[in-house]
Amino acid sequence: TICVYCGSQAGLATDHLETARALGRACAANGIRVVFGGGSIGLMGALAESTRAAGGAVTGIIPDHLRARELADEAVDELVVVDTMHERKRLMAERADGFCVLPGGIGTLDETIEILTWKQLGLHAKPVVLLDTGGFWDPLMQLFAHQRAAGFLGETEPQLFQRAASVADALD
């Protein structure tokens, strides 16, 4: 099972949508269940729809207060409705054997930083991959370099995650 963090928006670059779809197809082809934020729009919707269309299994976890805003995907194999964002993130992490991060906004960044923090603190040892088609995560890498240069990150932080340029690389 892979937990995928990604945007509830499609973004402006069409390649982000295609990457989400390709990841969904690849997960289905490899028998990998997808756990995601439960919305039917944006990259989340594209990921879930393509996974299902390719015969894969999908679990959505969504807070009740986001059911209308993110158009909860009622077509998933399992839709878990929780009370809070904290519960959503905890369940997504517990159900995952690893994490893959696609482009997204503040929520995606929040989930990514939290799961990296949990790994840094030894709360999990699961792989985390930033699927970085088109260099979307370059600014985050620049921030990490800035934090390291300022003495706030050690040399071990880059080992908390991997960057992948393609879906195949991410699944490897």
Side-chain angles (χ1 to χ4, degrees), residues 9-66:
Q9 302 295 318
L12 299 177
T14 57
D15 62 326
H16 296 318
L17 272 174
E18 183 46 42
T19 298
R21 291 180 183 122
L23 179 61
R25 290 189 301 266
C27 286
N30 287 284
I32 300 169
R33 173 179 282 274
V34 170
V35 172
F36 79 117
S40 65
I41 56 175
L43 298 186
M44 282 197 290
L47 169 75
E49 181 181 329
S50 65
T51 305
R52 284 193 313 271
V58 182
T59 297
I61 302 176
I62 191 165
D64 189 50
H65 73 276
L66 289 180

Side-chain angles (χ1 to χ4, degrees), residues 43-141:
L43 298 186
M44 282 197 290
L47 169 75
E49 181 181 329
S50 65
T51 305
R52 284 193 313 271
V58 182
T59 297
I61 302 176
I62 191 165
D64 189 50
H65 73 276
L66 289 180
R67 286 182 84 174
R69 181 178 178 173
E70 292 184 354
L71 302 178
D73 191 339
E74 303 289 341
V76 295
D77 298 293
E78 179 185 20
L79 182 63
V80 179
V81 180
V82 296
D83 292 329
T84 67
M85 289 295 289
H86 294 292
E87 188 177 5
R88 174 198 221 179
K89 292 190 284 187
R90 180 185 58 80
L91 282 176
M92 289 173 76
E94 286 176 359
R95 291 180 176 219
D97 298 309
F99 304 87
C100 185
V101 185
L102 298 176
I106 292 173
T108 303
L109 184 60
D110 169 61
E111 291 165 332
T112 303
I113 296 301
E114 184 163 33
I115 209 63
L116 291 175
T117 300
W118 291 0
K119 190 169 183 176
Q120 181 185 40
L121 296 174
L123 300 177
H124 76 86
K126 301 171 185 180
V128 178
V129 176
L130 302 183
L131 185 45
D132 198 15
T133 55
F136 181 84
W137 293 110
D138 286 350
L140 182 61
M141 299 305 106

